[in-house]
């Protein structure tokens, strides 16, 4: 395996690891927040899928569009921004009673995923151009 290919594979694996951790943490926080606000257990389990699923769908659309057209559509970028804002807000709100430290700790997995995804996106864009 060449150095560039190895680096791409390792970068992808690192982003996947961050995504799994962020997804698990985010799922739990959004579900807990939904339950605390009167959602039934079934709908509380679905809400995180809609929030984090939007991030995944919009990220994939941005990558696909950027590869095909050189840029992502406004709708894909807006979906990504809305998903990011929603997951950050929910993760922070879920543990707001712990103050600023709790808010920062709970925001971290989503922030780490966003940064790791952007690194992967920029690396992919450079390689495709």
């Amino acid at each position: 395996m060449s150095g560039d290919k190895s680096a791409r594979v390792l970068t992808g694996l690192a982003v996947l690891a961050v995504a799994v951790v962020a997804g698990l943490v985010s799922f739990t926080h959004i579900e807990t927040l939904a339950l605390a606000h009167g959602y039934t257990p079934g709908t509380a389990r679905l809400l995180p899928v809609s929030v984090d699923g939007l991030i995944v769908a919009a990220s994939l659309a941005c990558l696909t569009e950027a590869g095909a057209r050189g840029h992502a559509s406004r709708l894909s970028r807006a979906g990504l921004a809305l998903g990011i804002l929603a997951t950050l807000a929910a993760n922070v709100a879920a543990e707001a009673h712990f103050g600023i430290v709790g808010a920062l700790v709970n925001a971290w997995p989503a922030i780490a995923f966003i940064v790791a995804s952007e690194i992967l996106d920029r690396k992919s864009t450079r390689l495709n151009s």
Side-chain angles (χ1 to χ4, degrees):
M1 193 181 296
S2 72
D4 282 347
K5 188 172 182 179
S6 296
R8 282 195 309 266
V9 169
L10 290 173
T11 301
L13 290 173
V15 170
L16 179 61
V18 171
V20 168
V21 170
L24 291 172
V25 170
S26 180
F27 187 96
T28 302
H29 287 147
I30 295 171
E31 180 184 33
T32 301
L33 189 63
L35 288 169
H37 285 84
Y39 279 69
T40 66
T43 56
R45 283 186 210 102
L46 292 174
L47 187 61
V49 176
S50 73
V51 174
D52 293 336
L54 177 60
I55 295 171
V56 172
S59 296
L60 291 173
C62 285
L63 279 172
T64 303
E65 293 166 356
R69 296 187 288 164
H71 67 280
S73 69
R74 285 187 205 154
L75 182 59
S76 296
R77 287 181 286 161
L80 183 58
L82 286 171
I84 289 168
L85 289 173
T87 198
L88 280 172
N91 279 282
V92 168
E95 302 294 335
H97 58 279
F98 287 112
I100 190 71
V101 173
L104 292 173
V105 167
N106 286 305
W108 179 250
I111 292 167
F113 176 67
I114 294 160
V115 172
S117 296
E118 187 63 23
I119 290 168
L120 184 62
D121 182 38
R122 288 179 189 268
K123 188 170 186 68
S124 296
T125 304
R126 274 199 315 269
L127 291 171
N128 291 331
S129 49

